[in-house]
Amino acid sequence: MKPISTSIHQIKELPNGSIIILENYYKFIGESNLYCIDKKSQQVIWFAELPMPDDIYSNKFSINNYEITIASWKGITVKIDSNTGKITDKILSK
């Protein structure tokens, strides 16, 4: 598996055959450094919505019941729907 911009920091395969990837945030170039790919085609299904336009995901994620929890560089902890990449909840955690 080849990263889009930097290096793979964390990877997790889901039971539905999709793979969640978190790339290293340092010097990442692209839409979002947290994204989902289809295991068979290796194509991006979605890029995770960012809590702010100029933010990036900096910490490892956890997954519970298809909901991803991760913190951003600017101190916002978000919950993301693993089927869509959309934020379902966010709180300032700094």
Side-chain angles (χ1 to χ4, degrees), residues 32-76:
S32 174
N33 65 320
L34 178 66
Y35 53 92
C36 179
I37 64 168
D38 177 74
K39 183 178 179 179
K40 289 181 183 176
S41 70
Q42 299 286 299
Q43 298 296 312
V44 175
I45 298 169
W46 52 254
F47 287 95
E49 183 179 11
L50 294 169
M52 299 171 66
D54 59 343
D55 207 352
I56 197 148
Y57 293 110
S58 56
N59 295 16
K60 288 189 172 191
F61 62 83
S62 63
I63 301 176
N64 187 15
N65 294 327
Y66 287 94
E67 187 172 63
I68 301 164
T69 302
I70 189 167
S72 74
W73 180 257
K74 294 194 174 198
I76 300 170

